[in-house]
Each structure stands twice: as structure tokens, then as C-alpha cells.
Amino acid sequence: MNRILIAVAALALACWSLVDSGWAADKAVKLPPPTQDLHGMAGTETAVFAGGCFWGVQAVFQHTRGVLNAVSGYAGGDKSSAHYEQVGSGRTGHAESVQVTYDPGQVSFGTLLQVYFSVAHDPTTLNRQGPDAGPQYRSAVFYRDAEQKRVTESYIAQLNAAKVFPARIVTEVRPLTGFYPAEAYHQDYATLHPGSPYIA
């Protein structure tokens, strides 16, 4: 139990509020919708996004209409190293990520990208979000198939061409080789700790 409390305290220090770091709501950017998107799918789909501390990213997608579930976890590395203490070293290849399960009849993949780039994080900072630094906090979209890759790359090109951000987008677009849910104490953190000063 003490180990879990120490880990939570360490994570709280690492996951500083984006508000405190200057990426406040007044700096959020109003983005155009993607010119390319995925439509006409039935059932449920999943997408995996990384953008700094997963607590805030999970909270954003949990409040997005059409999202059925959002899970904090790790993507980009091996299953054997998908543990918070190891990921925190920045040497595992993992990024703190969120797997989003959604109903494409209610929300499209392109709309999820629009949310991700506009309010979930700052996509123009390399390997950091606010004071959280290291490759585990990088901006990345882990695509599940060629269509997700196509729409993501197209939207990044569209946003860069429109110069909606003061700098170029540095978001990685990489194939998803595996998603590994984070430890239980990371799940639904913003919901369970609404007064936490570490989450925007």
C-alpha cells in the first residue's frame, strides 16, 4: 500500500496541471474540422492518443459525446516494460496514452482528432507537456490501420498549412503494436479527484 501511495504522490508531482504550465483554456485553439475523415463504420472502434500525462487526456475523452470508454495506459513499447515505474524512466519507448473506444455513428475519428489537437494537449512541444518532460510525455497518435494513418497525417498537414498553431505540429504518427492499461490507481483519476490541482 505504501508503494502505491508513493507512486501516486510521485505521479501527482509529474502530472502538473496544464493550466499551471501556461497551456490554459485561453490558449486553446479553435480548429477547423478535418477535410478527410472516416465514415460509415458500424459497431465500435478504438483509437489511441498520447499527449502528456494521461490523467488529463483521459478526462477530455471521457467527456466527449460518442466516446464509450477511455482507458489510461501505455503504448509504443513492449508489454514487459508497461509499468509506471519503468515508463517514468523515459527509456521504454512507451508514451502515457489513452485508448478511446467510440461509436462512429455518434463521433467520427476525425472529430476525435479535432478534440485531441485542440483541447487535450499542446501538439507543438517535443517530448514534453508543460513541466512534464521526457519521451513518455510525447505527442503521438498510434494508428490501428491505414485509414487512421491517412486521416491523421492529412489533418496534421491541414493544420500546419493553415498555421493555426504558432509552431509546427510535432505529433508522431506511429503504428499501434500494443496498448497496455495502466495500473488501477491511474484510471478515472480526474473523476475520482475533481479537486486535484494537477489536472486541467
Side-chain angles (χ1 to χ4, degrees), residues 50-99:
C53 179
F54 44 27
W55 293 350
V57 177
Q58 181 188 37
V60 166
F61 284 112
Q62 284 176 324
H63 291 89
T64 302
R65 188 174 71 80
V67 170
L68 307 173
N69 194 25
V71 177
S72 290
Y74 311 107
D78 297 327
K79 182 178 182 179
S80 63
S81 63
H83 306 283
Y84 177 70
E85 292 82 4
Q86 290 175 269
V87 172
S89 73
R91 296 188 300 268
T92 64
H94 281 296
E96 290 194 11
S97 305
V98 174
Q99 179 174 266

Side-chain angles (χ1 to χ4, degrees), residues 106-178:
Q106 295 185 55
V107 63
S108 70
F109 179 69
T111 299
L112 294 178
L113 285 173
Q114 188 177 9
V115 169
Y116 169 71
F117 283 111
S118 62
V119 297
H121 77 306
D122 177 357
T124 67
T125 56
L126 183 63
N127 292 336
R128 91 176 292 128
Q129 288 296 308
D132 293 339
Q136 69 272 30
Y137 297 113
R138 69 190 182 271
S139 174
V141 175
F142 294 95
Y143 61 85
R144 301 188 64 86
D145 55 35
E147 287 298 284
Q148 283 191 352
K149 179 184 181 186
R150 176 184 63 80
V151 173
T152 302
E153 290 178 338
S154 169
Y155 194 43
I156 290 172
Q158 176 187 341
L159 295 177
N160 278 330
K163 298 186 185 321
V164 295
F165 292 103
R168 290 188 65 76
I169 292 170
V170 296
T171 304
E172 291 182 359
V173 181
R174 297 183 52 193
L176 179 67
T177 56

